[in-house]
Amino acid sequence: MFVSHLALTDFRSYPHVELALERGVTALVGPNGQGKTNLVEAIGYLATLASHRVPTDAALVRSGAQRAVVGARVERAGRATTLEVEITPGRANRARVNGGSPVRARDILGILRTVQFAPEDLALVKGDPDGRRRFLDELAVQLRPPLAAAQADYERVLRQRSALLKTAAAALRGSRGTDLRTLDVWDAKLAAAGARITVARRSLVAALAPPVTDAYAQVSAGRGEALISYRSSLDAALEDSSGGPGGTAPDDAPEPLVEAQLLEAMGRLRSKEIERGVCLVGPHRDDLVLTLGELPAKGYASHGESWSFALALRLGSAALLRGGATEGPWAGDWGPDGDPVLVLDDVFAELDVRRRERLAELVAPAGQVLVTAAVPGDVPEALAGGRIDVMGGEVARVL
């Protein structure tokens, strides 16, 4: 799989730009602030409908423009598919496949698969849980696109239920009564959507754990063992209870059991939730736990170890996306030319010599690798290939 053509209109700093790309390695080279990252960010957006730099789409539209358009031609096994997404702040984004009628943007998920390495990845190890949850959810959607609908449903229900809890909390502080019968309806909706996400994340972490451990050993030259696990707020709630349906759920618990446990936990925590005006249990409060040896990576890993762990998470993702899981719900064989596109956005400048050389050796065999760098010397020799200079929003291939 590779992107052979990229076209942007009013995306970030570009009024309009078109860029031809090839298989193998291509380095986008130019000083900081010239638009290199904008180009690879657009490719990542087509794969995940999210930016690795900003949480909302509004910043992706060029200042003064009403909308942005991101288009690409994706080649796989001799077939070309054209994708186009129209980004309109305040409205639902629309997409087209092969120039057809507009469809929901999420309907294109799964056509292009990418793994993006970036300086922001260090926050996966050192940052807050929301970044790690987003990492899992974006990977899950690339592997199983229908999960995007479950994630959207959960976010919508969570907003509605949270608003109702805040209303109830305000009424309680004012010594006023409030009708909470509607809350039962939102409890049921949240439990149904939350169970699907929880089960998906748990099984994804189980499938991702072996390739992450292997990748860390390769990047770090065997210095320590990297382990990942899933910590659920539901498990904590059940452990604190005096009883409940089945106690803490195993990692392979089916959706009906998890749904029942979420409902039980919400019912038991209702008074606390109303008092605080927030939802206290559900996948929005879960975390991906990263352990180095016997210690949590966050707070104990050195800067270099944290970088190795972040790289291992991305390399493990690439392994799953190319069909690295041999059994379970995430198993799949994408067939020939199934490698995801690897994007390394200014990451080599952040790494010491040993880690940059090891990473370069590990990613070089991929079908397409896109590297951004401020100067040609930042690109390791193992990633020698094509080069495109980016300067002032202009792109030029170097022969």
Side-chain angles (χ1 to χ4, degrees):
M1 172 182 296
F2 71 103
V3 175
S4 60
H5 187 265
L6 178 69
L8 308 180
T9 300
D10 290 328
F11 182 87
R12 288 289 197 178
S13 60
Y14 290 99
H16 182 74
V17 67
E18 296 199 31
L19 181 63
L21 296 167
E22 300 174 348
R23 288 178 179 272
V25 179
T26 299
L28 305 174
V29 179
N32 293 333
Q34 301 303 304
K36 306 183 303 296
T37 293
N38 296 346
L39 297 171
V40 295
E41 179 184 28
I43 292 174
Y45 187 89
L46 286 173
T48 64
L49 299 180
S51 165
H52 68 288
R53 302 161 71 193
V54 292
T56 63
D57 288 352
L60 304 180
V61 179
R62 187 173 64 89
S63 178
Q66 299 300 310
R67 60 174 191 146
V69 179
V70 180
R73 184 167 62 246
V74 181
E75 312 274 352
R76 181 181 170 194
R79 289 188 60 182
T81 302
T82 60
L83 305 178
E84 184 180 278
V85 175
E86 181 179 301
I87 304 169
T88 308
R91 298 176 57 186
N93 295 339
R94 305 294 286 174
R96 295 178 188 270
V97 179
N98 291 330
S101 300
V103 297
R104 294 174 304 182
R106 70 178 184 227
D107 289 340
I108 71 167
L109 291 169
I111 296 175
L112 171 63
R113 300 189 306 280
T114 68
V115 174
Q116 196 141 3
F117 301 75
E120 292 83 357
D121 287 347
L122 197 59
L124 291 175
V125 181
K126 295 189 172 184
D128 295 329
D130 62 325
R132 291 184 286 274
R133 290 192 294 265
R134 187 165 55 251
F135 162 76
L136 289 177
D137 290 343
E138 289 180 0
L139 177 58
V141 165
Q142 288 204 75
L143 287 161
R144 296 289 182 268
L147 284 171
Q151 293 172 9
D153 288 345
Y154 185 80
E155 291 298 324
R156 176 181 57 82
V157 174
L158 180 63
R159 287 194 298 270
Q160 294 284 355
R161 187 173 184 272
S162 298
L164 184 58
L165 287 172
K166 289 178 182 177
T167 299
L172 181 65
R173 288 192 294 270
S175 300
R176 302 191 310 272
T178 184
D179 187 354
L180 295 176
R181 287 175 295 181
T182 308
L183 195 56
D184 292 334
V185 176
W186 291 113
D187 284 0
K189 291 179 180 292
L190 194 74
R196 188 175 185 195
I197 294 171
T198 300
V199 169
R201 285 184 186 168
R202 280 174 170 167
S203 63
L204 176 60
V205 171
L208 183 62
V212 167
T213 298
D214 291 345
Y216 184 88
Q218 292 176 304
V219 172
S220 67
R223 300 179 182 178
E225 183 181 25
L227 302 173
I228 64 173
S229 60
Y230 191 69
R231 181 165 61 214
S232 171
S233 59
L234 172 60
D235 290 342
L238 292 173
E239 288 170 357
D240 289 342
S241 68
S242 57
T248 301
D251 286 345
D252 59 353
E255 282 185 32
L257 174 58
V258 177
E259 183 177 347
Q261 290 179 320
L262 280 169
L263 274 172
E264 188 274 337
M266 284 187 283
R268 188 163 37 79
L269 293 170
R270 177 171 289 190
S271 60
K272 291 183 179 179
E273 290 188 321
I274 292 174
E275 181 180 349
R276 296 173 58 178
V278 295
C279 298
L280 294 176
V281 65
H284 64 289
R285 298 180 71 90
D286 296 354
D287 197 3
L288 174 65
V289 179
L290 312 180
T291 305
L292 191 56
E294 298 181 353
L295 296 173
K298 183 177 180 179
Y300 286 92
S302 68
H303 184 74
E305 289 170 335
S306 297
W307 260 118
S308 291
F309 214 138
L311 297 174
L313 290 170
R314 295 301 186 188
L315 289 167
S317 300
L320 279 192
L321 286 167
R322 71 171 63 98
T326 57
E327 58 184 21
W330 305 99
D333 181 4
W334 298 103
D337 206 21
D339 270 2
V341 175
L342 302 187
V343 176
L344 292 89
D345 181 22
D346 203 26
V347 72
F348 288 112
E350 303 288 333
L351 304 177
D352 59 42
V353 173
R354 180 177 60 82
R355 286 183 175 84
R356 75 161 62 182
E357 291 179 351
R358 196 71 190 103
L359 176 60
E361 293 170 0
L362 292 171
V363 303
Q368 185 175 45
V369 182
L370 303 176
V371 182
T372 71
V375 295
D378 283 346
V379 182
E381 291 184 7
L383 292 178
R387 174 178 154 189
I388 295 173
D389 282 350
V390 182
M391 180 68 72
E394 300 290 331
V395 297
R397 184 171 294 275
V398 178
L399 301 179

